[in-house]
Structure formats: C-alpha cells, structure tokens
Amino acid sequence: MGNTKKPRTEWILTRWIMACVDFRATPEDAEWIRTDLNCSKDSLRQYRIGERRIRSDVENSVLDRLETRFSGTAAMLRGPMAQILMRRDLPNGALRHTIRQLPDPYRTLLLALGYGADRSEIDPGVQLGAVLDYLLQATSFETLQTVVFMLAWCDDIGDTVSWTTICERHRAALPNMIFEGIPVHHFALLDAIDEYARTIEFKHGRRIRTKRSWRTAVAKAKKIRKEGGVAVQEHWEDVPKVFAIRTKSRADENPD
C-alpha cells in the first residue's frame, strides 16, 4: 500500500510540539524560550502556526534545544509514531518491535489480532471490532498511538479492509474522546493522524483521498456537553505520557 504523496506532516507536528511546549511552560520557561532558544520572534511565530518546520534530521536543532528544557519533546518528532505519520520508512522489523514494546492492554490486544505477533500469540477469537470497541473508550495518548501503529501494520501488509474499519471507527469515537478531554493543544496531533489516514484511505478497494476531517467531531463533542454529558475524568499529565487517566474502565463496569 505504498504511496508517493508526501503531506506536510512535519509542519503539522511542529504546531503540535509548540502548542504542547507552550502549555507546559512556566513563566521561567517562557522567558527561556524568548531569550535562550536561539530563535527569532518571527521564527517562533512561524513554528506555532505551522508556516515553518522544526527539523528532526539535523544536530543541535531547535528540537534538541527544546529537549533540554522539555523532556520528551524530541520523541514527538523522532519517535516511530511521528516517522509513520510523516510516511518515512522505519527500519526493517521496527514496527513489529514497537508494537511489542507497547504497554498492556495495547500490546496483548494487538498481538492477539496478529499485529506484530508470532503465530502462537494470535487468538482467532479476538476480533478487530471488539478490540476497537475496547481501545477507543480511552482518551489517552497510548490509544491514538496504537491506532497509528495499527494503520501502519495494515499499510505494510496491504489489508485495506482493516485499514478502512480502523479509520471509520476512530473517527466515530472522536466526539466522545474530545468531550472526555483531549485538549486543544493536542489537536494538531489529530490533524497529523487525519492527514495520514486521509492520504491513503480506501473505498471499494480503491485508494482515494477523502475530504472528511476529524474536526467535525469538535462540534459533536460540544453537542454532547450541551446535552448534559459528564466526562469520566479530566486529569492531565505532561505529554507524551498520557492525555487522560481513567480510574475504572467501562469494560470493568459492563463485563458483558
């Protein structure tokens, strides 16, 4: 399922990085960004609005300097998820290794489906729809990351049916995920995921580029809130650890 189109995802991820850095920054950090990051005021503005990209492939870059102040920032552009979103080839076996390094339950569920799994780890009784039902309940960084890895696996093996199913279910779940707490400073990451999915979406077995955008979910999330919905929890930690942490999963509440 190769594709020669190269979207401007690096610029989109630059917006994500700067939004997260600004969110995490203390007043002292903000002063450091202005005086010690070695970037002009205009360059910072361009990074923030996505008119200029932060380079991930050069030494002592803005990304490296940000990493010294905001630990974890470099992984947001150099990690496997970002490389996939930018449609850069991972080293041979890297995607399988990455999947196998995921925390549970993500690792176990993906292995049961056959994603990155040895034959003995595949469970024929585990269906893609049921896995997505479970995963997409969680408003977490790991959930979005796992969706990207699942799409990349489908991309590698040419499974257009599963690719389309994952895309559709992910988009359908986004209104509730946004309502329950994906904050605005992470919306650029959703832009990048959507760009990746839209670039090689499939319909009737043919590659298409859909015009649908995840941002329609924002209005739907507002409607949920207006109608009196109650978020499970709104507790945030620094990226890229987690967006929201549930004290009890819906699977525990509804075992059937």
Short mmCIF file of all heavy atoms in Angstrom, two decimals, residues 24-36 69-70:
data_model
loop_
_atom_site.label_atom_id
_atom_site.label_comp_id
_atom_site.label_asym_id
_atom_site.label_seq_id
_atom_site.Cartn_x
_atom_site.Cartn_y
_atom_site.Cartn_z
N ARG A 24 3.05 23.50 28.58
CA ARG A 24 3.85 23.05 29.71
C ARG A 24 4.69 24.15 30.34
O ARG A 24 5.14 24.01 31.48
CB ARG A 24 4.78 21.92 29.25
CG ARG A 24 4.07 20.66 28.81
CD ARG A 24 5.04 19.66 28.17
NE ARG A 24 6.08 19.22 29.09
CZ ARG A 24 7.06 18.37 28.75
NH1 ARG A 24 7.12 17.90 27.51
NH2 ARG A 24 7.95 18.00 29.64
N ALA A 25 4.93 25.21 29.60
CA ALA A 25 5.91 26.21 30.02
C ALA A 25 5.46 27.01 31.25
O ALA A 25 4.33 27.50 31.30
CB ALA A 25 6.21 27.15 28.86
N THR A 26 6.35 27.12 32.20
CA THR A 26 6.18 28.03 33.33
C THR A 26 6.60 29.43 32.86
O THR A 26 7.16 29.59 31.77
CB THR A 26 7.07 27.61 34.50
OG1 THR A 26 8.45 27.73 34.08
CG2 THR A 26 6.78 26.16 34.91
N PRO A 27 6.35 30.46 33.65
CA PRO A 27 6.86 31.78 33.26
C PRO A 27 8.37 31.79 33.02
O PRO A 27 8.85 32.46 32.10
CB PRO A 27 6.48 32.67 34.47
CG PRO A 27 5.25 32.01 35.01
CD PRO A 27 5.48 30.54 34.84
N GLU A 28 9.11 31.03 33.81
CA GLU A 28 10.56 30.94 33.61
C GLU A 28 10.89 30.25 32.29
O GLU A 28 11.81 30.65 31.57
CB GLU A 28 11.21 30.18 34.77
CG GLU A 28 11.18 30.90 36.11
CD GLU A 28 9.80 30.82 36.78
OE1 GLU A 28 8.96 30.00 36.35
OE2 GLU A 28 9.58 31.58 37.74
N ASP A 29 10.12 29.21 31.98
CA ASP A 29 10.32 28.53 30.69
C ASP A 29 10.02 29.46 29.52
O ASP A 29 10.74 29.46 28.51
CB ASP A 29 9.41 27.30 30.60
CG ASP A 29 9.79 26.20 31.56
OD1 ASP A 29 10.98 26.07 31.88
OD2 ASP A 29 8.88 25.46 31.99
N ALA A 30 8.95 30.23 29.65
CA ALA A 30 8.58 31.15 28.57
C ALA A 30 9.68 32.18 28.33
O ALA A 30 9.99 32.52 27.18
CB ALA A 30 7.26 31.85 28.92
N GLU A 31 10.30 32.64 29.41
CA GLU A 31 11.41 33.57 29.27
C GLU A 31 12.60 32.89 28.61
O GLU A 31 13.28 33.49 27.75
CB GLU A 31 11.81 34.12 30.65
CG GLU A 31 12.97 35.09 30.63
CD GLU A 31 12.66 36.36 29.85
OE1 GLU A 31 11.47 36.69 29.69
OE2 GLU A 31 13.63 37.01 29.40
N TRP A 32 12.86 31.63 28.96
CA TRP A 32 13.94 30.87 28.33
C TRP A 32 13.70 30.71 26.83
O TRP A 32 14.63 30.83 26.02
CB TRP A 32 14.05 29.49 28.99
CG TRP A 32 15.10 28.62 28.38
CD1 TRP A 32 16.43 28.56 28.68
CD2 TRP A 32 14.89 27.64 27.34
NE1 TRP A 32 17.08 27.63 27.91
CE2 TRP A 32 16.15 27.05 27.07
CE3 TRP A 32 13.79 27.22 26.62
CZ2 TRP A 32 16.32 26.06 26.11
CZ3 TRP A 32 13.95 26.23 25.65
CH2 TRP A 32 15.20 25.66 25.41
N ILE A 33 12.45 30.43 26.44
CA ILE A 33 12.12 30.30 25.02
C ILE A 33 12.42 31.60 24.29
O ILE A 33 12.98 31.60 23.19
CB ILE A 33 10.63 29.91 24.85
CG1 ILE A 33 10.41 28.47 25.35
CG2 ILE A 33 10.20 30.03 23.39
CD1 ILE A 33 8.94 28.09 25.44
N ARG A 34 12.08 32.72 24.90
CA ARG A 34 12.30 34.02 24.25
C ARG A 34 13.77 34.39 24.15
O ARG A 34 14.19 34.98 23.15
CB ARG A 34 11.55 35.12 25.02
CG ARG A 34 10.03 35.09 24.86
CD ARG A 34 9.40 36.35 25.41
NE ARG A 34 9.57 36.44 26.86
CZ ARG A 34 8.71 35.96 27.75
NH1 ARG A 34 7.62 35.33 27.34
NH2 ARG A 34 8.93 36.07 29.04
N THR A 35 14.56 34.01 25.17
CA THR A 35 15.93 34.53 25.23
C THR A 35 17.01 33.51 24.94
O THR A 35 18.09 33.89 24.46
CB THR A 35 16.19 35.13 26.62
OG1 THR A 35 16.01 34.11 27.62
CG2 THR A 35 15.24 36.29 26.90
N ASP A 36 16.76 32.23 25.23
CA ASP A 36 17.84 31.25 25.15
C ASP A 36 17.62 30.13 24.12
O ASP A 36 18.51 29.30 23.92
CB ASP A 36 18.07 30.60 26.52
CG ASP A 36 18.55 31.61 27.55
OD1 ASP A 36 19.21 32.58 27.15
OD2 ASP A 36 18.26 31.42 28.75
N ARG A 69 15.07 21.34 27.79
CA ARG A 69 14.18 22.04 28.73
C ARG A 69 12.88 21.29 28.96
O ARG A 69 12.31 21.32 30.07
CB ARG A 69 13.88 23.44 28.17
CG ARG A 69 13.19 24.37 29.15
CD ARG A 69 14.18 25.01 30.09
NE ARG A 69 13.56 25.97 31.00
CZ ARG A 69 14.23 26.82 31.77
NH1 ARG A 69 15.55 26.85 31.74
NH2 ARG A 69 13.59 27.64 32.58
N PHE A 70 12.39 20.62 27.91
CA PHE A 70 11.11 19.91 27.96
C PHE A 70 11.35 18.47 27.55
O PHE A 70 11.26 18.12 26.36
CB PHE A 70 10.08 20.57 27.04
CG PHE A 70 9.85 22.03 27.33
CD1 PHE A 70 10.54 23.00 26.63
CD2 PHE A 70 8.95 22.41 28.30
CE1 PHE A 70 10.33 24.34 26.88
CE2 PHE A 70 8.73 23.76 28.57
CZ PHE A 70 9.44 24.73 27.87
#
